[in-house]
């Protein structure tokens, strides 16, 4: 008999999240499924590097011995199914490690393996076909090359009888959509429901960020996040759901917390393109239906087209840094003078020794509003952290540079009070994304001796919405007073490559016209002009009538994105 609702909890927001969520959800969430979202554009090159050094590595080994090992007994006792993407670039090795953990505990879960996303063996063909246009340095291999596959292979694995489904680079939201396809029998062209399920995956994928983590009104949550509740979606067959959290946990599930997570990283809300569906989230609505219970409705969907998104990564150079504290009068000026002098000194010394020059550098004076650009309110702070970042050809240049960094404390301005934040050299992870025909990606599900291929549905070509984008309403009367934005709105920022995403939700619908008028594209571009490299950036605005919100995207604003940014 089909279930009327399915309860799915998210126990991990990615690499670096803690270990308590799985146990909390399994013992207090009354779950059908628990999912772990482990991967990111930052973690994948790290995993690829590990595989280059050891063919048996390249998966989230710390997840296997940490989170997975800690929850497996509860998982089996409560008959909760697990979906995780911790396989990274070596999902087969990850499954073997999971089976070893289970055997050690005397348990025998049925673990399904999904493969096919890794297309690194075709790098040469992709270059020849023109899919890859950027060129890694001579002799430098790709660290990763993966297509983002969707949710139907996960549903297939569950239909085959899996207790646990382990994947590589699926799109994050598929970890929730897959179980819903399996439980409710949604079809490949049921786009509205697939969009609704993808929305629920998007709301859950960042863990406690839907339940009060990073919330604008964090100060109203009791001053203690040590037992913050992780999110649960109580999902219905029509695609609607209630977002909640385990009883007795900290945090909050409100229209504000959930709407903030909706706006995270989606870009154009009418064209959020995923492997299984192109989503229109512009009319998504939230309703508080009880304490820590928010009802979610209104997602629409349409054909995602014939292609998957794919990303290639490779290493090109090294980045590293050093920070030092400065105290006393004119601390910011002293810090800047010392940092600039150190970099100038290094350039001269490296030229004399015929060493490769520092490729690029950045000095940040933290503590006197430098990062606010024209909006800064310098306070002439008497305590400053100066952060210096450099990019070099090899780690050897940094080894030379770190020797000279200390010169500032003995030979330059007064007030340096010790070093901090010395970061060892790490590879600079370049990336290139492109669209790749899904028919060229062969996806398989392996469960024991069973191996099943999962073909891609023949979707119609992708076409962005042709109707005019909705425009925010105009104010019925002129503004009569000034208010801080935080009094009128909740807000959430995100990053996707070199694009900064800013989402702002009106606390009351009547505030939205004034917010939208103040946060138009021109005004936001002016506020963040200091973030646009060489004045090449731009701002793009979108309106979401369903939740009375606006999104502004800042293109070319993040110093190249997380894998290479010095900020």
């Amino acid at each position: 008999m089909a279930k009327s609702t399915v309860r799915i909890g998210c126990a991990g927001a990615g690499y670096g999240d803690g270990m308590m969520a799985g146990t909390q959800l399994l013992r207090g969430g009354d779950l059908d499924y628990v999912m772990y979202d482990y991967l990111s554009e930052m973690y994948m090159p790290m995993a690829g590097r590990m595989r280059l050094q050891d063919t048996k590595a390249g998966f989230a080994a710390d997840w296997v011995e940490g989170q997975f090992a800690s929850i497996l007994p509860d998982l089996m006792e409560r008959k909760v199914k697990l979906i995780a993407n911790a396989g990274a670039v070596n999902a087969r090795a990850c499954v073997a490690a999971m089976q070893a953990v289970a055997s050690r505990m005397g348990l025998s879960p049925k673990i399904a393996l999904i493969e096919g996303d890794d297309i690194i063996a075709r790098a040469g063909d992709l270059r020849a076909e023109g899919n890859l246009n950027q060129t890694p340095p001579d002799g430098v291999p790709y660290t990763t090359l993966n297509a983002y596959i969707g949710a139907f292979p996960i549903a297939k694995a569950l239909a085959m009888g899996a207790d646990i489904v382990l994947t590589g680079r699926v799109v994050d939201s598929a970890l929730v959509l897959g179980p819903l396809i399996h439980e409710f029998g949604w079809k490949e062209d049921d786009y509205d429901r697939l969009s609704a399920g993808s929305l629920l995956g998007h709301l859950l994928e960042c863990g406690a960020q839907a339940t009060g983590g990073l919330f604008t009104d964090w100060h109203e949550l009791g001053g203690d996040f040590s037992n913050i509740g992780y999110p649960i979606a109580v999902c219905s067959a029509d695609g609607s759901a209630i977002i909640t959290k385990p009883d007795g946990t900290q945090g909050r599930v409100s229209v504000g917390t959930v709407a903030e997570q909706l706006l995270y990283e989606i870009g154009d809300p009418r064209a959020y393109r995923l492997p299984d569906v192109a989503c229109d989230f512009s009319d998504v609505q939230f309703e508080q239906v009880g304490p820590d219970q928010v009802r979610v409705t209104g997602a629409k969907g349409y054909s995602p087209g014939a292609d998957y998104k794919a990303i290639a990564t490779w290493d090109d150079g090294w980045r590293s840094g050093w920070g030092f504290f400065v105290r006393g009068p004119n601390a910011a000026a002293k810090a800047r003078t010392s940092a600039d002098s150190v970099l100038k000194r290094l350039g001269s010394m490296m030229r004399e020794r015929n060493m490769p020059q520092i490729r690029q550098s950045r000095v940040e004076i933290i503590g006197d509003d430098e990062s606010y650009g024209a909006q800064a309110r310098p306070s002439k702070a008497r305590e400053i952290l100066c952060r210096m970042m450099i990019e070099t050809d090899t780690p050897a240049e940094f080894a030379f540079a770190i020797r000279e960094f200390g010169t500032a404390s003995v030979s330059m301005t007064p007030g340096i009070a010790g070093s901090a934040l010395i970061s060892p050299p790490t590879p600079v992870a370049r990336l290139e994304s492109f669209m790749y025909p899904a028919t060229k990606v062969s996806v398989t599900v392996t469960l024991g001796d069973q191996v099943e291929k999962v073909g891609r549905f023949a979707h119609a070509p992708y076409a962005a919405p042709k109707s005019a984008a909705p425009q925010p309403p105009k104010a019925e009367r002129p503004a009569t007073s000034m208010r801080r934005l935080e009094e009128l709105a909740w807000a959430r920022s995100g990053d996707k490559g070199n694009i900064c995403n800013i989402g702002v939700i009106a606390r009351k619908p009547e505030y939205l016209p004034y917010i939208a008028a103040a946060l138009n594209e021109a005004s936001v571009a002016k506020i963040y002009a200091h973030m646009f490299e060489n004045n090449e950036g731009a701002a793009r605005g979108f309106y979401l009538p369903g939740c009375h919100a606006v999104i502004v995207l800042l293109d070319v604003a993040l110093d190249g994105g997380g894998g290479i940014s010095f900020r």
Side-chain angles (χ1 to χ4, degrees):
M1 181 176 176
K3 298 176 182 176
S4 59
T5 60
V6 175
R7 294 175 65 93
I8 304 175
C10 177
Y15 174 70
D17 203 356
M19 290 180 55
M20 67 168 285
T23 301
Q24 179 202 91
L25 285 166
L26 287 168
R27 296 181 182 177
D30 189 24
L31 299 182
D32 299 298
Y33 294 87
V34 62
M35 56 84 92
Y36 280 86
D37 179 17
Y38 207 83
L39 303 184
S40 69
E41 291 178 5
M42 293 285 287
Y43 185 77
M44 289 296 285
M46 294 169 55
R49 244 171 259 131
M50 289 188 283
R51 180 176 60 180
L52 286 172
Q53 296 171 359
D54 179 357
T55 57
K56 296 181 180 180
F59 62 92
D62 57 332
W63 178 83
V64 174
E65 291 294 340
Q67 287 94 320
F68 176 71
S70 69
I71 67 166
L72 185 57
D74 281 330
L75 201 71
M76 300 298 290
E77 179 182 346
R78 290 166 169 77
K79 295 181 170 57
V80 177
K81 294 183 183 295
L82 167 66
I83 319 291
N85 61 7
V89 299
N90 202 345
R92 184 168 289 269
C94 187
V95 167
M98 294 165 68
Q99 289 170 333
V101 167
S103 178
R104 190 172 72 219
M105 295 181 173
L107 300 170
S108 53
K110 299 175 182 177
I111 305 177
L113 165 66
I114 294 177
E115 296 176 292
D117 59 291
D118 191 342
I119 54 175
I120 198 166
R122 297 182 214 166
D125 293 338
L126 292 169
R127 293 281 297 278
E129 295 166 0
N131 289 292
L132 290 168
N133 299 307
Q134 299 183 43
T135 304
D138 290 342
V140 173
Y142 288 101
T143 47
T144 68
L145 214 173
N146 296 78
Y148 283 63
I149 62 178
F152 280 90
I154 295 173
K156 179 67 173 178
L158 293 169
M160 291 167 64
D163 301 315
I164 296 168
V165 182
L166 193 282
T167 80
R169 181 68 280 190
V170 299
V171 68
D172 299 345
S173 55
L175 302 173
V176 170
L177 179 59
L180 298 181
I181 291 170
H182 169 67
E183 294 286 354
F184 296 136
W186 294 346
K187 303 302 182 184
E188 287 92 340
D189 58 354
D190 194 354
Y191 294 128
D192 286 348
R193 287 184 174 85
L194 295 178
S195 179
S198 297
L199 168 63
L200 299 177
H202 176 69
L203 294 177
L204 263 59
E205 69 187 36
C206 289
Q209 291 172 30
T211 56
L214 308 188
F215 185 38
T216 300
D217 297 340
W218 64 272
H219 50 280
E220 296 182 357
L221 303 186
D224 185 358
F225 291 86
S226 60
N227 189 33
I228 189 168
Y230 281 72
I232 298 168
V234 185
C235 312
S236 299
D238 63 358
S240 65
I242 303 292
I243 305 299
T244 186
K245 64 183 182 68
D247 292 341
T249 58
Q250 296 160 342
R252 176 187 298 174
V253 180
S254 68
V255 169
T257 65
V258 181
E260 282 191 7
Q261 178 58 26
L262 165 67
L263 302 188
Y264 177 63
E265 290 189 341
I266 63 171
D268 181 347
R270 298 200 306 159
Y272 186 49
R273 196 172 172 185
L274 298 171
D276 299 307
V277 61
C279 303
D280 181 349
F281 292 158
S282 62
D283 203 36
V284 167
Q285 299 173 36
F286 302 105
E287 178 188 3
Q288 195 83 43
V289 295
D292 292 319
Q293 294 187 4
V294 171
R295 181 175 173 81
V296 183
T297 57
K300 300 294 182 183
Y302 53 99
S303 171
D307 298 329
Y308 287 144
K309 175 184 174 182
I311 289 184
T313 67
W314 64 95
D315 291 339
D316 178 15
W318 297 75
R319 63 177 182 167
S320 48
W322 176 58
F324 58 93
F325 296 105
V326 182
R327 295 192 179 118
N330 301 309
K334 289 188 289 189
R336 172 70 67 179
T337 298
S338 290
D340 290 346
S341 298
V342 167
L343 292 171
K344 185 176 180 180
R345 178 187 181 107
L346 281 170
S348 175
M349 295 177 69
M350 291 170 129
R351 280 190 295 272
E352 289 179 359
R353 288 162 174 76
N354 293 318
M355 294 177 67
Q357 288 288 296
I358 292 171
R359 289 180 176 183
Q360 60 174 321
S361 62
R362 183 185 293 275
V363 175
E364 290 184 316
I365 306 301
I366 301 171
D368 208 31
D369 264 19
E370 180 180 281
S371 64
Y372 283 82
Q375 310 298 312
R377 301 172 186 170
S379 61
K380 296 184 178 179
R382 296 183 298 168
E383 293 180 323
I384 290 293
L385 172 62
C386 180
R387 180 174 177 267
M388 302 171 62
M389 293 292 293
I390 60 174
E391 181 182 312
T392 58
D393 288 349
T394 73
E397 289 86 61
F398 177 72
F400 180 80
I402 194 67
R403 172 65 181 80
E404 292 303 314
F405 283 168
T407 303
S409 63
V410 296
S411 304
M412 297 183 182
T413 61
I416 292 178
S419 62
L421 304 177
I422 297 177
S423 57
T426 57
V428 175
R430 313 283 181 193
L431 68 81
E432 181 178 3
S433 62
F434 58 98
M435 301 305 291
Y436 188 63
T439 54
K440 294 185 177 182
V441 178
S442 179
V443 180
T444 61
V445 180
T446 302
L447 180 61
D449 295 331
Q450 303 177 74
V451 181
E452 298 279 351
K453 287 188 176 181
V454 183
R456 179 92 177 318
F457 182 74
H459 294 286
Y462 171 77
K466 293 183 174 61
S467 59
Q471 298 299 311
K474 304 294 184 182
E476 295 181 359
R477 56 183 183 275
T480 58
S481 62
M482 294 286 287
R483 290 289 187 273
R484 293 183 67 250
L485 180 60
E486 191 173 345
E487 297 177 44
L488 307 179
W490 301 291
R492 176 76 191 279
S493 64
D495 63 290
K496 187 65 73 173
N498 205 17
I499 300 173
C500 177
N501 160 293
I502 304 170
V504 181
I505 311 110
R507 293 176 184 264
K508 296 182 179 180
E510 55 266 32
Y511 297 162
L512 193 279
Y514 302 97
I515 293 170
L519 300 184
N520 60 63
E521 291 175 348
S523 67
V524 174
K526 184 177 180 181
I527 291 169
Y528 290 102
H530 62 290
M531 291 178 61
F532 297 131
E533 299 293 337
N534 302 316
N535 298 315
E536 293 178 355
R540 293 179 286 142
F542 303 93
Y543 168 50
L544 293 82
C547 61
H548 315 292
V550 292
I551 289 176
V552 182
L553 304 183
L554 303 176
D555 295 316
V556 198
L558 294 179
D559 194 32
I564 62 176
S565 175
F566 277 7
R567 291 188 180 140

